[in-house]
Amino acid sequence: MSAAADSLIPNSRREARLIQLRIGLRRVLRNPSTLVGGILVLLLLVMAALAPFLATHDPMAQSLVDRLTPPGAQHWLGTDQLGRDIYSRLLYGAQPTLMIVILVIAFSAPLGLIIGMVAGYMGGWVESALMRLTDIFMAFPRLILALALVSVLKPGLTNAVIAIAITAWPSYARLARAETLALRHADFVEAARGLGQTGTRIVIGQILPLCLSSAAIRATLDMAGIILTAAGLGFLGLGAQPPMAEWGAMIGTGRDHIFDAWWVAAVPGIAILLVSLGFNLLGDGLRDVLDPKHHD
């Protein structure tokens, strides 16, 4: 056996995890699209975290003298109809975008996993009831259902997060149910059941860890859709409310000036495009790393 092969034989659980991490990083580095996606997502994080330091102007400051100024040395990306600096508002707009993504995933992914695992493990009428509920939510287009929920709750960033989260959990429930159905009669699950472990302990201790990698891939791919849905709500005035800088709302305020001041709507639109592309590319890369079916 060669020295290279010997180096891949772990002597402990810690070494096994390090070897697995190294192999995963090697796959990521071999995939250019994953690197591009990671860079774009990292750029979003930097924009959100360092907005107060990177901004050149107060994002809320208005100046009618400078309204609809084209990109230049004074205002790198121009100004909007109220004379506010678009570059600074773009940086601050990354904060609510990132917050919406994190909060929606933090709420919808655990909820969907719980519902899906309970349905897959219990079976019978419990599975039928939970899956029919899931089907009802999946029957409606996400943006339309979110619009209806926000309209009922009242426009605002918090209600937008709640509405998007309520529409986002069914995909995780479907995924967790499929994983649980494949695992509930596995040998290690039967052994745990034979040792007297309860259904709750089996689901949490045995099945949940094996569902996390698929859920992480699903969450990363789902982030682009969350951003687009949040931008759609902001565009229609149902998401973040003025004067907060939010990319969808910025496009909405710039649509009246699309021909004479294209940069007002184009700049946040390009930002949404690049960030959504970044999450999609990163999700594809994570699938290649975490999903055994895609391994070389």
Side-chain angles (χ1 to χ4, degrees), residues 55-62 83-85 88-89 92:
T56 57
H57 296 75
D58 183 349
M60 307 298 179
Q62 302 179 15
R84 297 173 295 190
D85 183 68
S88 300
R89 290 182 63 78
Y92 278 88

Side-chain angles (χ1 to χ4, degrees), residues 94-241:
Q95 294 177 345
T97 299
L98 186 62
M99 184 183 69
I100 289 173
V101 169
I102 293 174
L103 291 179
V104 169
I105 293 298
F107 175 82
S108 61
L111 176 62
L113 285 173
I114 291 172
I115 292 175
M117 289 188 299
V118 170
Y121 186 81
M122 296 293 292
W125 68 268
V126 175
E127 179 183 12
S128 298
L130 292 177
M131 287 301 100
R132 296 300 77 76
L133 177 64
T134 304
D135 291 339
I136 291 173
F137 277 88
M138 295 190 74
F140 294 93
R142 179 179 294 185
L143 180 58
I144 301 300
L145 184 56
L147 284 172
L149 291 173
V150 172
S151 300
V152 171
L153 295 173
K154 196 171 89 169
L157 191 62
T158 302
N159 291 336
V161 170
I162 295 173
I164 298 173
I166 291 175
T167 65
W169 66 266
S171 59
Y172 299 95
R174 282 285 185 184
L175 182 64
R177 172 181 173 270
E179 296 272 3
T180 305
L181 287 175
L183 295 171
R184 66 176 179 178
H185 295 304
D187 291 341
F188 64 91
V189 174
E190 294 292 347
R193 194 179 291 120
L195 291 173
Q197 292 190 9
T198 62
T200 302
R201 290 191 63 185
I202 292 174
V203 169
I204 295 177
Q206 306 294 332
I207 296 177
L208 176 60
L210 297 177
C211 295
L212 291 179
S213 61
S214 299
I217 297 169
R218 176 72 256 178
T220 307
L221 293 171
D222 207 29
M223 288 176 182
I226 294 171
I227 291 174
L228 293 175
T229 303
L233 293 176
F235 177 83
L236 296 173
L238 299 175
Q241 298 299 298

Side-chain angles (χ1 to χ4, degrees), residues 69-82:
T69 300
Q74 183 68 23
H75 300 280
W76 295 348
L77 297 178
T79 62
D80 61 10
Q81 70 280 4
L82 296 176

Side-chain angles (χ1 to χ4, degrees), residues 16-35 38 212-218 220-221 280-296:
R17 290 176 178 173
L18 290 175
I19 291 174
Q20 186 177 14
L21 178 61
R22 187 173 66 183
I23 294 174
L25 289 175
R26 188 182 305 161
R27 292 195 184 98
V28 170
L29 293 175
R30 286 206 310 256
N31 190 338
S33 62
T34 306
L35 290 177
L212 291 179
S213 61
S214 299
I217 297 169
R218 176 72 256 178
T220 307
L221 293 171
N280 280 327
L281 293 176
L282 184 60
D284 287 338
L286 288 178
R287 181 180 58 191
D288 294 338
V289 173
L290 298 177
D291 192 344
K293 296 189 290 294
H294 290 81
H295 287 178
D296 298 337

